[in-house]
């Protein structure tokens, strides 16, 4: 009894050669036309090939993704394996004991070099060359001839790619750490050179070398005299900070001006004080310093600020001696008081000048009217106006009464049958005398040079005098009003905080100045560094 051999899988390949495939299709005359074609012969695969195919089928059934298959091929290329497909790559890697999906193997993937790509490419070209052109579309498994590897001359165990990559990574990390340490050292050198050393020098100067300075502070306000009554917007803002804001700014500008500096230097030796050899060289003024240099030092040591909300001027005068600091401060306040007085002096003088001229002219006219009245009184030799004429009128009235009596008496005598001639002539004579006297007196009342004309002249002179007296009184009242208005325009300086010299140095503020120097140097270094980085980037790009 015979048993047939069993095989897991059979593969039948065509045994046709390239000569058969390229033979002409015309019938062979030596061959009978009815003769059938030769039957194809079958070849049974070996057990190794069948096992490989079985492993490939099992790998296909695992459901691997395309990404995993590509990853397996790259790992196989990294390890120098000649594979025919992605599944074959998985199979061969597992036979070599390499897990193609392990994370360490994934990190070790690199692009194949020319030496690694060239043998594989030759194998693929050889495998492709074995397939005829007219069978390129036949989807049959391709056989790849394995390249026989020669014995290696390397002694000992071969190098592990993972170890090589780890060594390269460690070398790169050491290089990066070395460069970081070098850059950090250079940065510290630059910071020390451009920031720390200048800051230490500034702090040493402020703590050990700088001459102590004393600052005397004072506060004062410029006020305006309040109006005596009145209303409107003018009285609303009079005497307040809004009304004197312009004056305050004017005084502030004057106290820091060159004129105030020259007066202070001439009266209190400002330049000589700051040229003292006891002051440190940075703050000391040179002996042969110009006026501009001294004035710049004056502006640095005399600080005046104006508070717009309260209308207060705040001043601080700095000097090397507290007594000198107080002296300079008091002198500047005195200059400010003089300047305040001069602000409204012209306005007050203009207002008073017009009123004074009007009063003087009215007084002169009054004196002329009085002199004219006296002259007329002396010329007429009369008393008050109307007194002489009233007396004369009274005399005429009395004489007229007597005349009327005599006429009545004459009429009574003429009514007698035999009037006494002597009495009649006497009465008639008396009447004639009285009539003549009355005519004389009446002639004295009218005409040039009479009492009436003299009274008219006197009355006119008296009225002129009274009119001029009224003008003088009005001018006097106007001058008083102008004086009151001028007094209301007066500005005066009121000191709220008197200048008192301190007993301890005010400057230098060592810690604050050192910190400020550090911040300034840091800002300058940061700006220069950013600018250099931007320019370097622009040039390199």
């Amino acid at each position: 009894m015979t048993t047939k051999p069993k095989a897991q899988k059979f593969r039948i390949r065509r045994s046709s050669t390239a000569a058969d495939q390229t033979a002409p299709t015309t019938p062979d005359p030596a061959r009978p036309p009815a003769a059938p074609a030769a039957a194809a012969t079958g070849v049974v695969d070996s057990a190794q090939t069948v096992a490989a195919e079985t492993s490939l089928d099992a790998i296909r059934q695992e459901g691997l993704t395309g990404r995993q298959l590509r990853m397996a091929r790259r790992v196989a290329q990294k390890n120098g394996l000649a594979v025919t497909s992605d599944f074959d790559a998985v199979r061969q890697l597992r036979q070599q004991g390499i897990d193609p999906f392990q994370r360490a193997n994934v990190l070790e993937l690199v692009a194949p070099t020319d030496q690694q790509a060239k043998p594989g490419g030759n194998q693929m070209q050889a495998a492709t060359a074995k397939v005829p052109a007219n069978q390129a579309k036949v989807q049959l498994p391709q056989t790849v001839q394995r390249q026989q590897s020669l014995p290696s001359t390397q002694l000992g165990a071969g190098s592990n790619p993972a170890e090589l990559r780890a060594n390269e990574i460690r070398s790169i990390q050491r290089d990066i750490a070395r460069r970081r340490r070098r850059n950090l050292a250079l940065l510290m050198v630059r910071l020390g050179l451009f920031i720390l050393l200048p800051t230490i020098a500034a702090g040493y100067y402020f703590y050990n070398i700088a001459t102590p300075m004393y600052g005397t502070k004072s506060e004062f306000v410029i006020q305006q005299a309040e109006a005596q009554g009145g209303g409107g917007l003018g009285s609303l803002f009079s005497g307040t900070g809004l009304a004197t804001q312009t004056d305050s700014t004017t005084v502030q500008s004057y106290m820091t001006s060159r004129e105030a500096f020259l007066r202070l230097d001439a009266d209190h030796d400002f330049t000589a004080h700051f040229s003292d050899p006891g002051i440190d060289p940075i703050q000391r003024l040179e002996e042969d310093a110009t006026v501009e240099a001294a004035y710049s030092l004056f502006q640095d040591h005399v600080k005046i600020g104006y508070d717009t909300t309260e209308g207060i001027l705040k001043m601080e005068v700095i000097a090397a001696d507290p007594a000198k600091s107080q002296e300079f401060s008091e002198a500047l306040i005195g200059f400010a008081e003089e300047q305040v007085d001069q602000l409204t002096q012209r306005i007050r003088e203009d207002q008073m000048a017009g009123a004074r001229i009007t009063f003087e002219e009215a007084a002169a006219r009054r004196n002329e009217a009085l002199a004219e009245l006296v002259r007329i009184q002396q010329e007429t030799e009369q008393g008050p106006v109307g007194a002489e004429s009233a007396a004369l009128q009274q005399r005429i009235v009395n004489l007229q009464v007597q005349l009327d009596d005599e006429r009545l008496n004459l009429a009574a005598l003429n009514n007698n049958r035999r009037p006494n001639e002597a009495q009649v002539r006497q009465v008639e004579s008396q009447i004639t005398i009285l009539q003549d006297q009355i005519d004389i007196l009446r002639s004295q009342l009218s005409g040039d040079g009479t009492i009436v004309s003299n009274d008219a002249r006197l009355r006119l002179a008296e009225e002129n005098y009274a009119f001029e007296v009224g003008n003088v009184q009005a001018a006097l009242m106007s001058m008083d009003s102008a004086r009151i208005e001028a007094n209301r325009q007066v500005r005066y300086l009121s000191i709220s905080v008197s200048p008192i010299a301190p007993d301890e140095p005010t400057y230098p503020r060592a810690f604050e100045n050192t910190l400020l120097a550090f911040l300034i140097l840091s800002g300058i270094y940061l700006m220069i560094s950013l600018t250099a980085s931007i320019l370097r980037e622009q040039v390199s790009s």
Side-chain angles (χ1 to χ4, degrees):
M1 180 177 179
T2 60
T3 305
K4 297 180 179 180
K6 295 181 180 179
Q8 295 180 358
K9 185 176 278 189
F10 296 93
R11 289 290 183 267
I12 299 176
R13 295 192 179 94
R14 295 186 180 186
S15 59
S16 58
T17 60
D20 296 335
Q21 295 176 2
T22 57
T25 58
T26 56
D28 190 358
R31 184 176 177 178
T41 60
V43 180
V44 179
D45 291 337
S46 63
Q48 183 179 1
T49 304
V50 173
E53 293 296 334
T54 304
S55 300
L56 291 176
D57 290 339
I59 293 173
R60 289 190 183 94
Q61 293 177 2
E62 290 180 4
L64 299 177
T65 62
R67 180 175 178 273
Q68 292 175 332
L69 295 175
R70 291 191 299 271
M71 189 183 302
R73 181 181 286 272
R74 288 196 296 270
V75 174
Q77 291 178 356
K78 174 66 177 177
N79 289 273
L81 299 178
V83 297
T84 58
S85 64
D86 296 339
F87 298 103
D88 187 29
V90 175
R91 183 183 64 80
Q92 292 190 29
L93 288 173
R94 289 178 178 177
Q95 288 179 358
Q96 295 291 334
I98 300 174
D99 186 3
F101 311 120
Q102 188 177 1
R103 183 174 180 83
N105 296 327
V106 174
L107 295 176
E108 293 174 0
L109 293 178
V110 293
T113 60
D114 295 339
Q115 295 178 358
Q116 294 175 351
K118 186 175 181 180
N122 294 333
Q123 293 174 3
M124 296 300 294
Q125 291 176 2
T128 306
K130 292 180 180 181
V131 181
N134 56 358
Q135 294 183 359
K137 296 183 179 180
V138 178
Q139 302 295 330
L140 295 177
Q142 304 294 327
T143 59
V144 179
Q145 294 181 359
R146 297 180 180 272
Q147 183 179 2
Q148 295 180 357
S149 59
L150 299 176
S152 175
T153 60
Q154 182 178 1
L155 299 178
S159 59
N160 191 356
E163 293 181 358
L164 293 177
R165 181 167 180 81
N167 293 332
E168 293 179 358
I169 292 174
R170 283 193 295 270
S171 176
I172 293 173
Q173 290 177 348
R174 285 193 297 269
D175 184 58
I176 292 174
R178 184 170 59 256
R179 284 188 293 178
R180 286 180 178 176
R181 288 193 298 270
R182 183 185 61 188
N183 293 336
L184 182 60
L186 293 176
L187 177 62
M188 296 304 297
V189 170
R190 289 194 297 268
L191 291 178
L193 183 62
F194 295 106
I195 297 179
L196 293 181
L197 290 181
T199 302
I200 293 173
Y204 179 78
Y205 167 75
F206 290 129
Y207 277 100
N208 299 323
I209 300 177
T211 302
M213 292 290 174
Y214 298 84
T216 300
K217 296 182 179 181
S218 59
E219 296 181 4
F220 50 91
V221 62
I222 298 175
Q223 296 180 350
Q224 178 181 0
E226 297 183 357
Q228 302 294 330
L233 294 178
S235 62
L236 178 63
F237 295 107
S238 62
T240 63
L242 294 176
T244 58
Q245 181 176 2
T246 304
D247 299 333
S248 299
T249 54
T250 302
V251 172
Q252 178 184 5
S253 301
Y254 172 75
M255 294 180 69
T256 56
S257 64
R258 195 184 305 273
E259 180 181 357
F261 160 70
L262 293 176
R263 290 185 61 183
L264 184 66
D265 189 21
D267 298 342
H268 301 277
D269 297 332
F270 181 85
T271 304
H273 172 72
F274 283 94
S275 300
D276 188 3
I279 301 176
D280 64 274
I282 296 179
Q283 300 184 83
R284 185 173 64 240
L285 189 65
E286 299 295 336
E287 295 182 357
D288 56 348
T290 61
V291 178
E292 292 296 330
Y295 178 61
S296 299
L297 185 67
F298 168 79
Q299 290 180 326
D300 294 336
H301 288 74
V302 177
K303 303 176 182 179
I304 302 177
Y306 175 64
D307 189 351
T308 57
T309 58
E310 299 178 359
I312 297 177
L313 284 168
K314 300 180 180 180
M315 181 177 65
E316 182 181 11
V317 180
I318 303 172
D321 184 24
K324 273 292 184 180
S325 175
Q326 182 176 357
E327 178 184 350
F328 293 158
S329 181
E330 292 175 351
L332 289 174
I333 291 176
F335 298 161
E337 290 179 349
E338 294 179 4
Q339 183 66 18
V340 168
D341 293 336
Q342 294 177 1
L343 289 176
T344 57
Q345 183 178 1
R346 183 174 179 180
I347 298 176
R348 289 180 287 140
E349 290 180 354
D350 292 342
Q351 290 178 347
M352 291 298 299
R356 189 180 296 109
I357 291 174
T358 303
F359 174 77
E360 292 176 355
E361 291 178 354
R365 291 194 299 269
R366 181 199 61 182
N367 294 335
E368 292 177 358
L370 180 60
E372 181 67 15
L373 177 61
V374 173
R375 187 184 65 79
I376 293 174
Q377 286 179 347
Q378 292 176 354
E379 182 180 350
T380 58
E381 297 180 356
Q382 293 184 185
V385 178
E388 294 291 336
S389 61
L392 187 59
Q393 289 288 344
Q394 186 63 33
R395 290 173 61 190
I396 293 173
V397 171
N398 292 334
L399 292 174
Q400 189 68 38
V401 172
Q402 292 179 9
L403 179 60
D404 292 339
D405 290 340
E406 292 296 331
R407 285 178 178 176
L408 290 174
N409 191 14
L410 180 60
L413 292 176
N414 289 328
N415 287 333
N416 294 327
R417 291 179 178 178
R418 292 180 180 179
N420 188 351
E421 293 293 335
Q423 292 180 349
V424 171
R425 285 195 296 271
Q426 183 180 1
V427 172
E428 289 179 351
S429 175
Q430 188 66 26
I431 291 173
T432 303
I433 293 172
L434 290 174
Q435 185 66 43
D436 293 338
Q437 186 64 30
I438 291 172
D439 293 338
I440 293 172
L441 292 178
R442 286 180 176 176
S443 64
Q444 292 179 0
L445 291 175
S446 60
D448 296 333
T450 60
I451 295 175
V452 176
S453 62
N454 292 336
D455 285 344
R457 293 175 59 190
L458 288 173
R459 186 177 297 278
L460 180 60
E462 288 181 354
E463 290 180 354
N464 290 335
Y465 175 71
F467 178 75
E468 295 300 335
V469 170
N471 289 337
V472 170
Q473 293 177 354
L476 183 60
M477 293 179 62
S478 177
M479 188 171 62
D480 292 338
S481 299
R483 184 181 295 107
I484 293 173
E485 183 67 20
N487 292 333
R488 192 179 67 84
Q489 296 292 335
V490 172
R491 307 288 195 275
Y492 60 94
L493 189 145
S494 177
I495 301 175
S496 56
V497 177
S498 301
I500 299 177
D503 57 349
E504 292 183 357
T506 309
Y507 301 97
R509 297 172 180 173
F511 177 76
E512 292 84 349
N513 293 341
T514 304
L515 181 60
L516 180 61
F518 175 76
L519 294 176
I520 292 175
L521 292 172
S522 300
I524 294 174
Y525 176 78
L526 181 60
M527 292 177 60
I528 294 175
S529 299
L530 291 176
T531 304
S533 299
I534 294 173
L535 293 177
R536 191 183 303 112
E537 182 179 358
Q538 294 293 331
V539 171
S540 61
S541 62

